[in-house]
Amino acid sequence: MTEEKTINVSESGFVPKHELLSYEQAQELLKKLNISLKQLPKIKKTDAAIKELNAKRGSIIKITRNSQTAGVYYYYRVVV
Amino acid sequence: MKMTRVKLPKKIEKDFNEYCKERGIKGGKKRELLAKLKKIVKKSSFEPAEAIGVITAQSISEPATQMTMRSYTMASQAGRLAKVTFGLPRMIEIFDARKTFERSMNIYLKDEYNNKNSAKRLAEKIKEKFVKDVVEKSSIDLLNMQLEFELSNGANRDMIKLAIEKYTKNCAVNFRGNTLYIKPEKAEIKDLRNIKIKILGTHLSGVKNILNVAVIKNGNDWIIQTDGSNLKKILEMDEVEIKRTYTNDIYEVEAVLGIEAARNLILKEAQKNLNEQGLDVDVRHIMLISDVMTVDGQIRSIGRYGVSGRKSSVLARANFEETLKHLTIASFRGLWDELRGTVENIMVGNVAPVGTGIVELVVEPKKLKKIKKRKKASS
């Protein structure tokens, strides 16, 4: 097998929805949570789940997680 | 705080609405119940600065001690097709984020391939085969200085020839009947043995690292269980349903599906393992652990080389393990401790920033003077 096939990562049941926040949304979020970018959990720029989002360093990824206790909740990671 | 300000988790909200619909509760009665529910939710959620890490550690460790005692009697469990570690050893593997352990995969198939024959065909296709699997007998002929391989029936000769091409550049390769003769132009006995070992270990077909396969039926699904795992190659196959297929290798999942998937896998594996042992640990504790392990964007183990060994405070690190090493490095480099964490504050005898200890009093001297003046004036 020489041809490289790309896997659609978001199809997997293990990968929650990843979204890129715009600059305004990101600032609003930081203000609402009263934190700086440094304090957010991190995600690598090369992470398989955000390859297609073309996220730049320092932008925030919004992750819609499915939880057994809360149903749906949002988690945020900063791209490093 | 007003109870209307409490935001309910979506699941509880949904459950509540369904419950009201079922019982026909509407209007004022519903509002009254909602207020009560919010009160309970507020009461049961953690207060700021609660030491949840310690609670989690305790809540998982206590059942884990039970696990040690029980895992001996469960050591040989029948009905399991793939070799899987379970019980306490598996728990340690997960939280230590080990890189060597018994890997295994569960491969689900797409609807159109979800039948016995397709599953068996795919299982045969992905199983990794080496030359030694199709060779029945191999020997070194010292008289003629050549290698002899007796092939089993049905072995694909062209494929073998192609696969071993690398090692037989200066050799004469001949087939006679079912036997393969390899005669190097000039070689010593040592070389012959080396070539033999290399040829026997040559990859012939299948997916790398998939050592053994078994087809099982679970409900309506035909599942292929494997020993060893290679998530990337398997997901690239047309027959495989990406949604449910999974491996128990956390690092592989991180590389192929990303850090969030790895976090979900840690959660799932730990929970599955605990449930298998009949232990009831609240899922929130495991969630916290899996969050801590993936907060850096990559997997960190719980322990000396992971979470605990990477704390920012020197004293906290020294308190955990390898005290001398951390203190020596700190004194050589002139490191600094801000005394912000719990451990270091307990060590030096300060009020630890936990619970009510996190509240700090900030005074503006100018305003204080004004207040004092006013008090004097009034008295």
Side-chain angles (χ1 to χ4, degrees):
Chain A
M1 275 200 285
T2 45
E3 53 182 310
E4 273 279 307
K5 257 184 155 185
T6 49
I7 309 161
N8 188 1
V9 169
S10 57
E11 259 181 60
S12 169
F14 283 94
V15 182
K17 194 174 161 198
H18 288 63
E19 283 169 291
L20 184 65
L21 290 190
S22 68
Y23 181 76
E24 289 79 31
Q25 283 171 321
Q27 292 306 315
E28 204 176 294
L29 177 83
L30 291 179
K31 208 178 162 192
K32 189 181 134 202
L33 300 177
N34 194 18
I35 52 171
S36 66
L37 262 186
K38 258 187 172 176
Q39 289 170 290
L40 277 174
K42 297 169 184 74
I43 188 167
K44 278 186 195 164
K45 201 180 164 189
T46 51
D47 197 275
I50 60 163
K51 248 178 206 167
E52 285 167 15
L53 293 176
N54 285 327
K56 288 198 180 87
R57 214 164 267 173
S59 46
I60 297 176
I61 305 287
K62 178 183 178 184
I63 296 154
T64 312
R65 274 186 183 172
N66 290 319
S67 154
Q68 294 167 39
T69 50
V72 174
Y73 73 103
Y74 303 115
Y75 196 77
Y76 300 91
R77 283 179 189 273
V78 59
V79 181
V80 289
Chain B
M1 192 194 228
K2 271 186 188 169
M3 279 310 149
T4 45
R5 270 212 217 144
V6 178
K7 214 177 153 195
L8 288 178
K10 288 209 170 131
K11 187 167 176 252
I12 295 178
E13 205 177 325
K14 203 179 127 207
D15 286 353
F16 176 71
N17 284 335
E18 265 171 28
Y19 177 85
C20 287
K21 218 175 188 182
E22 236 172 60
R23 303 284 171 103
I25 302 168
K26 275 181 214 161
K29 177 94 177 162
K30 189 177 172 180
R31 244 171 285 144
E32 197 181 296
L33 277 176
L34 192 65
K36 251 186 200 171
L37 182 66
K38 279 183 176 173
K39 217 173 192 173
I40 294 166
V41 168
K42 176 93 179 55
K43 219 177 179 181
S44 56
S45 56
F46 276 121
E47 283 138 29
E50 179 81 55
I52 51 173
V54 174
I55 296 172
T56 289
Q58 160 70 26
S59 306
I60 291 179
S61 308
E62 193 277 324
T65 56
Q66 305 292 317
M67 208 145 61
T68 330
M69 287 176 240
R70 245 179 272 168
S71 68
Y72 289 108
T73 49
M74 303 256 301
S76 63
Q77 202 182 44
R80 203 183 274 273
L81 288 161
K83 275 187 285 178
V84 187
T85 326
F86 60 97
L88 193 71
R90 178 70 192 137
M91 220 62 204
I92 297 169
E93 275 174 12
I94 296 168
F95 293 144
D96 275 0
R98 292 265 170 85
K99 284 186 175 165
T100 47
F101 60 96
E102 298 283 353
R103 288 176 174 78
S104 109
M105 284 186 87
N106 275 18
I107 303 168
Y108 287 82
L109 302 169
K110 278 183 187 155
D111 284 344
E112 57 262 40
Y113 296 101
N114 200 354
N115 55 57
K116 194 176 176 182
N117 287 335
S118 299
K120 276 197 169 165
R121 216 175 302 140
L122 184 68
E124 201 55 40
K125 197 172 124 193
I126 61 171
K127 187 181 173 186
E128 187 175 24
K129 282 209 182 77
F130 299 98
V131 172
K132 68 179 170 206
D133 292 329
V134 294
V135 169
E136 298 215 320
K137 210 169 124 193
S138 60
S139 55
I140 301 173
D141 188 350
L142 289 176
L143 262 181
N144 300 321
M145 290 299 272
Q146 64 181 6
L147 294 165
E148 292 179 13
F149 295 102
E150 208 175 292
L151 303 177
S152 58
N153 289 330
N156 191 335
R157 291 178 180 186
D158 295 334
M159 229 161 83
I160 295 172
K161 219 171 173 178
L162 206 70
I164 63 174
E165 211 175 28
K166 227 182 350 181
Y167 307 114
T168 55
K169 266 175 197 159
N170 300 319
C171 305
V173 182
N174 283 310
F175 283 104
R176 223 173 297 153
N178 243 350
T179 319
L180 170 68
Y181 294 97
I182 295 169
K183 187 174 166 70
E185 276 166 10
K186 45 184 173 182
E188 287 174 29
I189 299 170
K190 206 171 78 186
D191 299 334
L192 274 176
R193 282 183 69 181
N194 280 344
I195 293 175
K196 186 185 153 192
I197 291 166
K198 271 178 186 162
I199 285 176
L200 285 179
T202 306
H203 172 88
L204 208 56
S205 66
V207 178
K208 211 183 164 196
N209 288 340
I210 304 285
L211 301 177
N212 212 346
V213 289
V215 178
I216 57 165
K217 196 179 188 201
N218 188 2
N220 289 324
D221 294 314
W222 289 93
I223 304 167
I224 303 172
Q225 274 191 346
T226 66
D227 275 357
S229 101
N230 191 338
L231 189 66
K232 189 158 185 282
K233 282 272 146 54
I234 294 290
L235 289 188
E236 278 171 1
M237 292 186 150
D238 294 328
E239 296 96 330
V240 175
E241 187 190 296
I242 295 177
K243 197 178 173 202
R244 286 181 294 171
T245 298
Y246 86 98
T247 165
N248 65 356
D249 187 345
I250 303 163
Y251 285 98
E252 216 178 354
V253 167
E254 191 213 353
V256 180
L257 298 176
I259 191 73
E260 276 294 313
R263 183 249 175 203
N264 281 337
L265 185 70
I266 293 171
L267 177 59
K268 185 179 170 170
E269 283 282 307
Q271 202 184 6
K272 191 181 93 189
N273 196 32
L274 285 165
N275 286 344
E276 252 172 28
Q277 303 285 308
L279 300 173
D280 192 20
V281 175
D282 197 293
V283 65
R284 275 160 267 235
H285 300 309
I286 311 167
M287 278 178 189
L288 181 67
I289 282 206
S290 45
D291 273 345
V292 167
M293 284 175 74
T294 55
V295 77
D296 275 353
Q298 56 182 310
I299 296 159
R300 294 251 182 262
S301 61
I302 305 280
R304 193 186 292 175
Y305 302 108
V307 176
S308 297
R310 280 168 194 277
K311 284 177 183 169
S312 54
S313 160
V314 178
L315 289 179
R317 262 181 283 141
N319 180 57
F320 176 63
E321 265 168 23
E322 298 179 308
T323 310
L324 210 56
K325 180 184 129 189
H326 286 298
L327 291 182
T328 317
I329 290 174
S331 52
F332 271 140
R333 297 185 188 162
L335 295 184
W336 192 259
D337 200 319
E338 303 244 347
L339 293 182
R340 289 234 179 105
T342 315
V343 181
E344 51 267 39
N345 274 304
I346 292 173
M347 280 173 86
V348 299
N350 278 353
V351 176
V354 177
T356 48
I358 207 167
V359 183
E360 279 175 22
L361 193 62
V362 180
V363 180
E364 276 185 58
K366 276 183 189 171
K367 280 189 182 172
L368 194 69
K369 269 180 193 170
K370 265 186 195 172
I371 294 168
K372 273 183 181 170
K373 263 184 196 172
R374 223 181 290 154
K375 267 196 174 175
K376 262 185 191 173
S378 63
S379 64

